[in-house]
Amino acid sequence: MSGQKIVVLGTGGTIAGTSAQAGDNIGYTAAQVGVARLLEAVPGLQAMAGTLLAEQVAQIDSKDMDGEVWRALALRCAHHLTDPEVRGIVITHGTDTLEETAWFLHQVLDARKPVVLTCAMRPATALTPDGPQNLLDAVAVATAPGATGVLTVAAGEVHGARHVQKVHPYRVHAFTSGDVGPLAFVEEGAVRLTQNWPPSLDGKAQIAIEKIANIATWPRVEIVVSHAGATGAVVDVLVRDGVQGLVVACTGNGTIHHALEAALVRAQAAGVKVVRSTRCPLGQVLPKPGDVLADSRGLSPVKARIALMLDLLR
Ligand code: ASP
């Protein structure tokens, strides 16, 4: 049985962004307002003030997310998740790499309690900011009966870490889980589930977090794209530069321009781990007998990169 406390970890993003002009939705600076002030700005959360604990883990534009912030965030989450007083965690985050942080945390946390990432497409100073409602909805999800796993909440939709993707650079409704659809909707504070809560990774995840606490440098994994006129030049340079893993954003069902593929096969023979994902926004690479390069098992290129980094750590 867990307690009632909800920990809200701030990392920055547009949800904490401000602009000099109230009507400006794009010319703003992300990561300006502290997480405690974001909470104060949501009238619906004032009654819960005694149960909300705000903590600033970082204050960045999430386009600049990196392994060090991920490490700090994962360790704070792991710390709070083991506290019997804590019911769940909410993380305020930029939209740009939200899906990557969600997938990273899903891989390293024993999230038997909900870990809910939320964000905004409009800065806090916009005429109609979306952050306050998203924050309110994220707290509703973190307190929903039975909620587990790493989740994202935005525009009234709840998505699981595995499938969520940002698909629009401007619209408030910017996230989708593609073919799989949202896990739930938040409507006037009520959470309406359309699928089961995602299971947590428990034992396997624990190993990863211990390693993360102690590593000096993250394995270097880069993403390359197959396209018309592709060559192997980038791959050859990366191999010379000591890359340990390569994810290929392939065309269609994992196909690669022949010149790029030849370089990738050479890289694999030299000991670099190579994984194929697809640059198609929906669906996944379906493996075939005789495939020379592994596939990402349904992960998008950016999530396949994180999975490969963690595999290299193991
Ligand atoms: N660049 C911002 C960020 O990801 C965008 C946003 O939050 O919507 O931090």
Side-chain angles (χ1 to χ4, degrees), residues 11-17 28-31 60-64 93-98 118-123 130 166 168-169 174-175:
T11 69
T14 294
I15 192 168
Y28 63 88
T29 310
I60 62 166
D61 185 320
S62 83
K63 72 179 176 59
D64 298 325
H93 196 287
T95 58
D96 286 346
T97 56
L98 186 92
T118 195
C119 56
M121 291 295 289
R122 302 283 177 264
D130 50 332
K166 182 175 176 178
H168 203 285
F175 289 89

Side-chain angles (χ1 to χ4, degrees), residues 70-192:
W70 275 349
R71 185 212 307 258
L73 186 58
L75 293 177
R76 290 316 289 155
C77 287
H79 166 81
H80 289 299
L81 287 172
T82 57
D83 180 347
E85 296 288 302
V86 170
R87 176 158 182 175
I89 296 176
V90 169
I91 299 169
T92 59
H93 196 287
T95 58
D96 286 346
T97 56
L98 186 92
E99 72 217 55
E100 296 178 55
T101 300
W103 180 244
F104 169 73
L105 293 176
H106 171 76
Q107 297 266 285
V108 302
L109 294 177
D110 182 358
R112 281 176 242 195
K113 298 175 188 175
V115 176
V116 187
L117 290 97
T118 195
C119 56
M121 291 295 289
R122 302 283 177 264
T125 49
L127 290 181
T128 53
D130 50 332
Q133 183 70 54
N134 287 346
L135 201 42
L136 190 62
D137 290 350
V139 172
V141 172
T143 53
T148 58
V150 179
L151 308 159
T152 73
V153 173
E157 291 184 355
V158 184
H159 296 277
R162 182 175 182 91
H163 296 289
V164 67
Q165 245 183 306
K166 182 175 176 178
V167 290
H168 203 285
Y170 181 70
R171 279 186 208 148
V172 168
H173 193 160
F175 289 89
T176 177
S177 286
D179 294 343
V180 171
L183 203 79
F185 298 96
V186 192
E187 296 155 337
E188 299 300 306
V191 179
R192 177 165 59 90

